Amino acid sequence: MPHLDAAYTLARWMTRNPEDAHDIVQEAYIRAFRFFENYRGGSAKAWLLTIVRNTGYTWLRQNRAHDVDSVFDDEAFEVPERTPGPEARLVQSANQELIHKAMERIPLEFREIIILRDLEGFSYKEIVDVTGLPMGTVMSRLSRARSRLQKEVMERAGKEIEREL
């Protein structure tokens, strides 16, 4: 099954639940096979992830409407690179958990843009194709998403430090 990992990653981050993500991916692949004659060329991965995204939003509206409707704010975001020594791996593992928890707290429309751009490596054009959003919206939403993620990470890191003191 081509692009199964990318489809599952997107669905998993959309739902925050592995079982729900499996259901969405399964339904999306069924839809993709059913409507394969509508595929007009281009990036097959982008076409498939568009189906996964649409299936995910449909599922969320039916099962968890509150996850689709959320409020957000703006800030900047950068993740520093780390060299993988023993101490660095330990810190990196803790950072990954911190980022994972922060990702779960940001609104869905931001999570999906970060997943498509930063985890799946999609170009802005491919994200436009997948989401159907205008290019400017994709760019500003990515900036807001990174900003919101940074805020969540900083808040969680601050709480961890307070607990240790």
Side-chain angles (χ1 to χ4, degrees):
M1 300 248 179
H3 312 300
L4 184 61
D5 289 341
Y8 176 75
T9 298
L10 178 59
R12 169 65 180 87
W13 280 109
M14 288 181 77
T15 63
R16 296 181 232 149
N17 181 291
E19 291 81 19
D20 295 340
H22 284 293
D23 291 345
I24 289 169
V25 170
Q26 182 178 13
E27 178 64 27
Y29 269 83
I30 290 169
R31 288 180 185 184
F33 286 126
R34 188 179 307 144
F35 297 104
F36 187 71
E37 69 273 359
N38 295 334
Y39 175 62
R40 302 286 180 239
S43 171
K45 186 176 182 180
W47 178 76
L48 178 64
L49 290 187
T50 300
I51 296 170
V52 171
R53 178 183 183 267
N54 292 339
T55 303
Y57 272 109
T58 300
W59 186 92
L60 284 169
R61 278 188 208 97
Q62 292 171 348
N63 296 288
R64 287 192 247 148
H66 60 81
D67 281 356
V68 177
D69 303 320
S70 27
V71 181
F72 48 87
D73 56 30
D74 301 330
E75 288 181 21
F77 175 68
E78 289 181 28
V79 176
E81 292 288 325
R82 302 229 184 248
T83 57
E87 289 178 355
R89 283 195 301 266
L90 181 62
V91 169
Q92 189 175 31
S93 175
N95 286 344
Q96 287 174 345
E97 175 141 352
L98 191 65
I99 291 170
H100 181 84
K101 288 179 180 178
M103 280 282 287
E104 289 182 347
R105 295 188 44 84
I106 66 174
L108 175 59
E109 64 267 16
F110 291 149
R111 265 196 323 268
E112 74 175 346
I113 297 295
I114 287 178
I115 297 305
L116 293 172
R117 179 70 179 158
D118 295 333
L119 294 183
E120 295 301 326
F122 275 35
S123 68
Y124 289 111
K125 168 109 179 56
E126 289 174 316
I127 296 171
V128 166
D129 292 343
V130 169
T131 62
L133 296 169
M135 179 69 75
T137 302
V138 167
M139 294 170 74
S140 65
R141 196 169 282 182
L142 180 61
S143 175
R144 287 188 207 123
R146 288 174 173 165
S147 173
R148 178 63 184 253
L149 184 60
Q150 180 186 26
K151 179 181 177 187
E152 290 291 335
V153 167
M154 297 304 286
E155 286 177 6
R156 288 189 162 281
K159 288 177 185 176
E160 291 294 323
I161 291 170
E162 287 177 7
R163 277 189 227 144
E164 291 179 12
L165 297 177

